[in-house]
Amino acid sequence: MIMKFKFSLTVVLSGLVASALLPLPSSAAPQAGTFSWRGPFQNGTSTEKGLPDAINAKEALWSIDFPGASTPVIANGKVYVMGYEGEGPELKEGVACFDAETGKRLWSKMYNDFLSDTIYLRYATSSPTIDPETGNVYIQCTQGIFACLSSDGKLIWEHSMMESFGRLTFPNGRTASPVVDKDLVITRGITANWGAQGPAGDRFYAFDKKTGELAWSSTPADRPKDNSYSHPILGWLDGKRVFYSATGDGSVVCVNARTGDPIWRVPLFKSGINATLLVHNNDKVIAIYGTPYEPGQMVALKISHEQPTNAAAAPLVLERSKTELWANDLRTSTSSPILVGDRIYVVSEVGDLNAIDVNTGKLLWKIKIGIEQRNSCPLYADGKIYVPMLNDSGSGEKVAADESGPGRGAFFVIKPSDTEGKVLSHTTLEGRCFGTPAAYNGKIYQQTTRKLYCFGKAGNNNAVKVEMDEKWPAPGKASQLLIIPSEVLLHPGQEASFRVRALDKNGLSVEDIKDSMAIKWASFIPPTAKVKATMKGSFTADGKLVAAPESVPSAGAFEATVGDLKGYFRGRVLPGLPIKQDFESFKLTETNEVENAMFAYPPLPWIGARFKFEVRQTNGNMSLTKTIDNKFFQRATVFMGDPNLKNYTIEADVMSEGNRRKMSDVGVINQRYMIVLKGNEQTLEINSNQELLKIMVPFKWTPNVWYHLKTKLVSNPDGSGEVQAKVWKREEKEPEEWTSKVAVKTLHPNGCPGLFGFSPQDMRVFIDNVAVTAN
């Protein structure tokens, strides 16, 4: 069955596209399946038919052990879903591909966790996304690996978002799912990068979907209060391709999806908002928020057509009172609502399935189906609502003894009407439900924290092929340039090529500039830059950037000019090994008014250092000093090099303020292992995740005394290895024996060298004489 949805240019621009007709972009021949976890209309609905009226766990077509909190996506008879396997240090998270009919595992791409603070096995909370044009699969793992794979599992490109962009992790493990929009794939996360993006922010990143080159990055929200994995919803606004999303500062934002330029935001909540938005009739956005412990609301906001007058004024901050259409007291922390015509269906935090009129916010009916809900969302298809619940509050079914309590989830099939929701079936699943169901070829797929299930009719059931013939408006006159990649990392003497794309005022592509002689390149220092620095490099006649040969780190921006059009990119030059920094060349020209201290900004090319560390004078020497004026930055991780570095030794002088009762923590990072002196615990700790790999040995150290910390990794031919660390007072001789040695079965093969500081009790830590050398 092929269902076509065509949109004329007039309809798109008039703002009359119905909520059920807001398609994900596709320019390819139709494929059967569902390519994104929110479905083809971005609202939690599917056009699949012939789906089961009842679900019984004992009558599953198949089930396999592949735990996670993901939503399956499906194309051409293949199911792709995030998941994890293994235990302790050997736990791996990633994507697996299964035969949709039999459940046979076809391939998988799995990664070890590293440097994350994820707890309670909160892995695989994101979902894969399939590109309808190429069939490629995009994933983001909890530790920040963002990757593109072919439909048969071949790795096409990959980024370590943590080491390349300063992406932070959180104990809740919430991880965003990618969004494909024409030639771009968009993801998001809380990052603390370098330069102007040094302060922690809830940022969106758009990459060329085929090459993995960064097209733009955007910070549309205020300082985040929490991470958010709210899924961006694509649409059109006054001729601009935009997306709407909730953010970690508690706002709803509108962003130009082709350039990353923020347009407006509406502050709503004092914490981050995780539920995905709904867009209805292209004139209103519906958000829902709350926490398990705080009240929240569901709110409908009128989509504003106000535009910022210039980049400095973006985004416009709109008052809720001037955009609110209605509000009610329903709340969720992470579960998202779905939209069926003029009806919203959502499972509230307390386990009620609610039906709401989208135009008025009036509650039409509700039924109690559980006691609490988290990430899982309903799916509407074939006239029914499929609802997974976190825990089963009592179905009467027998389950194994080890599956009792929090080890089982519930799954409901409900027939909605204008006046009630009729329960057609209720079953108990092994494992709790955090993921959302997917529909395909007469079948329902659901993942739990134990299994991946398939229910429904065996065989070919005439899967719906949704062909989205979405017409984009023709571009206008060129008014700006987009430089791809918009950010680069080079080594001395290395070169990079760029694509220069002319865009109209709305951000739509006009043409790629092919004549390199027509492009003029010049170093550029933004007028707002706190560090006036340039990237050391020059352009050749054919438009290639060549980094300076000197082994000196540098960072800055370049401006491209074509006639009266301008565009920008930024970049870093980082030498290979050795890396050495004693901070003595820094000039203290800035004042930290809170701490009343003179300082210099840390090295500009370092990831995650700004505002968390400052270069100050300590006992007559210059050192990197952990700031204590902002509690949000009390934990700081800094990366100093290339994520592909390996087989090196890193060492540094370290010190903590304190007394006999309290000290702070300070350490270094070697190839994705953290080696930390713990002040209050009086230990030396080696970890790569606080739950999966954390080994401590006693080590008594004194506050306000310099110590020297040194670590290296030893790898074996079979992939195993050993993490070695030693520490001693700086003025003493280096001991021959290692203070701690930790054997690991699977050694991280590479990783960026870095530094770490944690000052939870207003006790600064200090780092000096950093050296990274090849083994």
Side-chain angles (χ1 to χ4, degrees):
M1 180 188 302
I2 297 179
M3 300 188 67
K4 286 192 174 184
F5 297 92
K6 292 182 176 288
F7 305 92
S8 70
L9 174 60
T10 312
V11 172
V12 170
L13 294 184
S14 69
L16 299 178
V17 180
S19 63
L21 301 178
L22 286 174
L24 289 171
S26 171
S27 58
Q31 303 178 53
T34 177
F35 310 136
S36 169
W37 79 272
R38 286 296 275 179
F41 310 112
Q42 306 182 88
N43 59 9
T45 67
S46 170
T47 53
E48 287 285 332
K49 302 295 183 182
L51 299 172
D53 293 330
I55 297 290
N56 188 327
K58 298 176 182 179
E59 299 174 359
L61 289 179
W62 53 261
S63 66
I64 55 170
D65 294 334
F66 194 63
S70 183
T71 299
V73 293
I74 307 156
N76 295 339
K78 295 180 179 179
V79 177
Y80 307 89
V81 67
M82 301 295 289
Y84 59 89
E85 53 194 7
E87 296 180 349
E90 297 307 307
L91 184 143
K92 291 179 172 62
E93 175 196 23
V95 62
C97 175
F98 302 91
D99 184 287
E101 184 66 25
T102 66
K104 179 183 177 181
R105 186 162 174 165
L106 303 177
W107 58 262
S108 61
K109 179 66 174 176
M110 309 298 288
Y111 297 87
N112 282 99
D113 190 16
F114 59 85
L115 300 179
S116 85
D117 49 3
T118 302
I119 60 174
Y120 303 143
L121 296 179
R122 290 170 173 166
Y123 291 98
T125 60
S126 68
S127 301
T129 299
I130 301 169
D131 175 23
E133 178 190 5
T134 63
N136 291 338
V137 181
Y138 300 90
I139 65 169
Q140 183 168 212
C141 298
T142 304
Q143 85 291 72
I145 293 294
F146 184 52
C148 171
L149 301 103
S150 66
S151 59
D152 58 1
K154 179 183 177 181
L155 181 65
I156 298 174
W157 53 259
E158 177 184 292
H159 292 289
S160 173
M161 297 295 290
M162 177 189 292
E163 296 164 299
S164 297
F165 299 98
R167 180 185 177 274
L168 308 182
T169 66
F170 294 83
N172 57 48
R174 292 193 291 262
T175 304
S177 303
V179 178
V180 174
D181 186 36
K182 213 168 186 178
D183 59 330
L184 301 178
V185 57
I186 302 170
T187 190
R188 68 176 303 175
I190 307 293
T191 65
N193 201 353
W194 65 274
Q197 294 186 5
D202 189 357
R203 296 190 172 91
F204 296 82
Y205 294 84
F207 297 86
D208 183 293
K209 70 180 184 182
K210 294 182 179 179
T211 68
E213 296 171 306
L214 184 67
W216 55 255
S217 56
S218 178
T219 315
D222 204 352
R223 178 180 292 178
K225 307 178 184 81
D226 192 7
N227 65 327
S228 170
Y229 71 164
S230 178
H231 198 63
I233 301 299
L234 296 163
W236 292 94
L237 181 65
D238 300 326
K240 292 182 173 67
R241 183 63 161 176
V242 300
F243 67 79
Y244 305 95
S245 183
T247 52
D249 70 332
S251 294
V252 168
V253 300
C254 176
V255 178
N256 188 315
R258 307 310 296 170
T259 65
D261 293 334
I263 299 174
W264 51 255
R265 71 179 178 93
V266 182
L268 291 180
F269 191 42
K270 60 184 179 181
S271 187
I273 301 176
N274 281 281
T276 295
L277 307 175
L278 295 172
V279 177
H280 178 252
N281 281 345
N282 224 26
D283 63 4
K284 68 175 76 68
V285 172
I286 294 91
I288 188 169
Y289 57 87
T291 75
Y293 319 105
E294 297 175 287
Q297 284 191 314
M298 175 179 280
V299 182
L301 305 173
K302 180 180 179 180
I303 291 179
S304 173
H305 294 265
E306 294 185 65
Q307 302 281 339
T309 55
N310 54 62
L316 295 175
V317 181
L318 307 177
E319 294 182 25
R320 171 176 172 169
S321 60
K322 295 182 179 179
T323 61
E324 181 180 311
L325 298 172
W326 55 257
N328 60 44
D329 290 333
L330 292 175
R331 65 181 172 97
T332 72
S333 56
T334 52
S335 182
S336 301
I338 65 173
L339 183 61
V340 183
D342 286 341
R343 296 290 180 265
I344 298 171
Y345 299 105
V346 64
V347 180
S348 67
E349 194 75 20
V350 295
D352 298 332
L353 175 64
N354 301 268
I356 302 101
D357 186 311
V358 71
N359 294 303
T360 65
K362 179 183 177 182
L363 178 66
L364 302 176
W365 54 259
K366 70 176 181 179
I367 55 173
K368 189 75 171 175
I369 56 175
I371 58 174
E372 61 177 336
Q373 182 69 310
R374 288 294 181 269
N375 304 19
S376 293
C377 313
L379 168 71
Y380 179 87
D382 196 21
K384 300 174 282 286
I385 306 175
Y386 296 90
V387 190
M389 296 296 294
L390 176 66
N391 295 319
D392 189 11
S393 59
S395 67
E397 295 188 24
K398 299 291 185 180
V399 295
D402 62 350
E403 299 295 334
S404 62
R408 61 182 189 177
F411 196 95
F412 291 83
V413 182
I414 295 174
K415 182 74 173 179
S417 70
D418 287 342
T419 57
E420 67 172 351
K422 181 181 179 182
V423 176
L424 301 181
S425 76
H426 170 202
T427 193
T428 301
L429 303 181
E430 291 187 40
R432 297 193 297 172
C433 294
F434 288 92
T436 296
Y440 170 75
N441 195 24
K443 302 171 182 68
I444 293 292
Y445 299 84
Q446 176 69 45
Q447 188 184 47
T448 73
T449 55
R450 293 182 182 270
K451 292 182 177 292
L452 175 63
Y453 285 95
C454 173
F455 303 101
K457 301 175 184 177
N460 183 6
N461 296 290
N462 203 16
V464 175
K465 297 180 180 180
V466 179
E467 181 180 356
M468 295 299 186
D469 186 13
E470 184 185 17
K471 296 186 182 299
W472 285 47
K477 180 182 177 181
S479 65
Q480 57 184 313
L481 300 177
L482 179 69
I483 314 301
I484 302 175
S486 62
E487 185 169 328
V488 295
L489 169 62
L490 300 178
H491 300 301
Q494 191 177 8
E495 65 180 35
S497 299
F498 298 85
R499 285 175 287 157
V500 178
R501 180 169 297 166
L503 308 178
D504 70 3
K505 66 178 182 179
N506 290 326
L508 300 179
S509 178
V510 178
E511 63 173 334
D512 282 359
I513 308 297
K514 302 294 186 181
D515 182 7
S516 61
M517 300 300 293
I519 308 169
K520 308 300 181 185
W521 298 95
S523 290
F524 176 75
I525 299 178
T528 57
K530 294 184 180 295
V531 178
K532 310 297 182 182
T534 58
M535 181 184 181
K536 304 302 181 184
S538 58
F539 275 86
T540 63
D542 59 352
K544 293 181 179 179
L545 172 65
V546 180
E550 295 80 17
S551 293
V552 177
S554 65
F558 277 88
E559 178 183 73
T561 303
V562 178
D564 60 351
L565 309 181
K566 295 184 182 297
Y568 304 88
F569 78 89
R570 63 184 210 154
R572 299 179 293 151
V573 178
L574 290 175
L577 304 180
I579 300 171
K580 295 190 176 182
Q581 182 58 261
D582 64 7
F583 307 102
E584 293 301 324
S585 63
F586 286 70
K587 306 299 182 184
L588 307 185
T589 59
E590 309 293 329
T591 302
N592 184 317
E593 296 181 356
V594 176
E595 298 187 40
N596 190 28
M598 296 294 294
F599 73 93
Y601 288 105
L604 184 60
W606 288 7
I607 298 286
R610 179 174 288 194
F611 300 118
K612 299 176 183 178
F613 284 97
E614 295 172 350
V615 177
R616 299 184 189 175
Q617 192 170 62
T618 307
N619 299 331
N621 291 328
M622 307 293 281
S623 67
L624 193 67
T625 304
K626 179 71 187 68
T627 57
I628 58 174
D629 58 326
N630 190 326
K631 298 298 183 184
F632 192 78
F633 300 145
Q634 62 185 7
R635 183 187 300 272
T637 302
V638 176
F639 294 104
M640 306 180 294
D642 190 323
N644 295 314
L645 288 175
K646 58 184 177 180
N647 195 26
Y648 55 82
T649 294
I650 179 170
E651 50 193 310
D653 296 337
V654 297
M655 181 172 67
S656 171
E657 292 180 331
N659 51 48
R660 289 182 298 175
R661 292 187 301 275
K662 60 180 181 178
M663 293 173 63
S664 290
D665 303 342
V666 61
V668 298
I669 298 168
N670 189 334
Q671 211 163 301
R672 300 177 175 172
Y673 295 94
M674 190 174 290
I675 298 88
V676 183
L677 272 174
K678 308 279 286 186
N680 293 338
E681 292 88 345
Q682 290 290 289
T683 60
L684 176 65
E685 177 182 294
I686 295 175
N687 75 71
S688 190
N689 171 280
Q690 289 295 309
E691 283 203 344
L692 303 182
L693 176 62
K694 182 170 68 172
I695 306 297
M696 295 180 288
V697 297
F699 184 83
K700 293 187 178 298
W701 58 301
T702 306
N704 307 308
V705 174
W706 283 104
Y707 288 80
H708 193 79
L709 182 58
K710 180 178 181 179
T711 177
K712 74 172 185 178
L713 274 60
V714 177
S715 61
N716 300 320
D718 64 355
S720 65
E722 187 174 73
V723 185
Q724 302 175 340
K726 63 173 69 173
V727 60
W728 66 95
K729 286 186 177 180
R730 184 170 67 176
E731 70 272 13
E732 296 179 353
K733 182 181 177 180
E734 177 181 349
E736 292 189 9
E737 297 295 323
W738 295 97
T739 309
S740 178
K741 295 192 292 185
V742 175
V744 291
K745 185 177 179 180
T746 304
L747 193 74
H748 299 315
N750 55 275
C752 191
L755 308 171
F756 175 78
F758 181 41
S759 301
Q761 298 172 302
D762 292 341
M763 296 295 168
R764 300 175 186 85
V765 297
F766 308 89
I767 302 173
D768 198 4
N769 297 315
V770 179
V772 186
T773 55
N775 291 337

